[in-house]
Amino acid sequence: MARGGSPRASEVLAERIRASATAQGASRIVVLIDGHSGAGKTTLATELAYALKAQHVALDAFYPGWGGLEVGSAMVQGVLGAENPGYRRWDWKRNQPAEFHKVNPKRDIVIEGSGCMSRANRDLATFGVWIRLDQTERKRRAVGRDGPRFLEHWDRWAAQEQAFFARERPDVLADAIVDGRTGHVVFREDAAEE
């Protein structure tokens, strides 16, 4: 439970995701969480993976450097692929590929990162989540998390996000929108009924 006794976003989402997967007849839950850097994707994904007892994969583990959003997005297909599912970790210190990480193809999975919810990736998922937060707060959080070194990469990364989001529209593909500040969840199907 969140402060004040209301359920956390992860609890609200987990309940709806399970119901949606059952309605779809899905044998495996695959959740994609997308949004701008610093919006709260990793925190939400960690909590949601715990609530669903699912694997958690962060695109931060395999983006190939600061110019790699598009490549990281395309790598989601390999994480979910039927043959040898997993990803090659990116060694950020050495700026090169590192060891391969297998993913269990039978276990539920939560994948998060800027660019994870392309139209092609969304077709492989049972549920999509868009997390939004204003730029000032996102930048404050990102620098607090990654340190001042991230500032030199902020504009380059933000430009990649903007291009990807304008083309793929993960905010429209999402089944739920989460406010990164309050944790309030709006489900697309509920909003359509209003």
Side-chain angles (χ1 to χ4, degrees):
M1 289 283 199
R3 280 184 257 172
S6 61
R8 300 174 82 103
S10 58
E11 295 166 347
V12 172
L13 284 165
E15 184 177 324
R16 185 65 70 96
I17 289 166
R18 284 187 195 102
S20 177
T22 299
Q24 293 175 46
S27 60
R28 177 185 186 207
I29 292 172
V30 176
V31 179
L32 301 177
I33 301 176
D34 208 329
H36 291 275
S37 182
K41 297 178 301 298
T42 302
T43 300
L44 179 61
T46 301
E47 292 174 1
L48 185 57
Y50 179 79
L52 293 171
K53 296 177 177 49
Q55 303 169 89
H56 172 201
V57 173
L59 269 64
D60 285 350
F62 57 80
Y63 291 124
W66 291 107
L69 186 142
E70 293 285 348
V71 173
S73 177
M75 289 173 70
V76 170
Q77 303 273 324
V79 172
L80 298 174
E83 203 173 306
N84 199 25
Y87 60 91
R88 185 156 304 283
R89 184 181 68 82
W90 183 257
D91 186 329
W92 287 85
K93 289 182 181 166
R94 293 187 173 147
N95 200 33
Q96 65 185 30
E99 73 282 351
F100 186 80
H101 289 259
K102 287 183 149 282
V103 172
N104 186 333
K106 295 180 181 172
R107 280 190 62 208
D108 296 341
I109 189 166
V110 175
I111 302 174
E112 57 90 3
S114 296
C116 76
M117 200 171 359
S118 65
R119 287 185 298 276
N121 293 343
R122 179 64 186 89
D123 287 344
L124 301 174
T126 52
F127 206 87
V129 178
W130 173 258
I131 187 164
R132 66 174 178 217
L133 186 65
D134 64 270
Q135 181 178 345
T136 302
E137 180 62 12
R138 288 188 299 99
K139 194 169 190 177
R140 185 192 68 74
R141 286 182 182 183
V143 172
R145 176 191 65 211
D146 298 327
R149 257 190 61 233
F150 181 62
L151 280 176
E152 67 186 84
H153 303 289
W154 177 267
D155 290 338
R156 180 179 183 195
W157 190 257
Q160 292 173 82
E161 287 178 331
Q162 285 307 111
F164 179 89
F165 297 153
R167 184 185 75 240
E168 298 292 336
R169 295 302 310 268
D171 57 324
V172 174
L173 297 173
D175 299 291
I177 309 291
V178 176
D179 184 306
R181 189 179 300 273
T182 66
H184 179 73
V185 181
V186 174
F187 293 98
R188 194 157 310 280
E189 65 185 38
D190 294 346
E193 292 172 7
E194 292 176 356

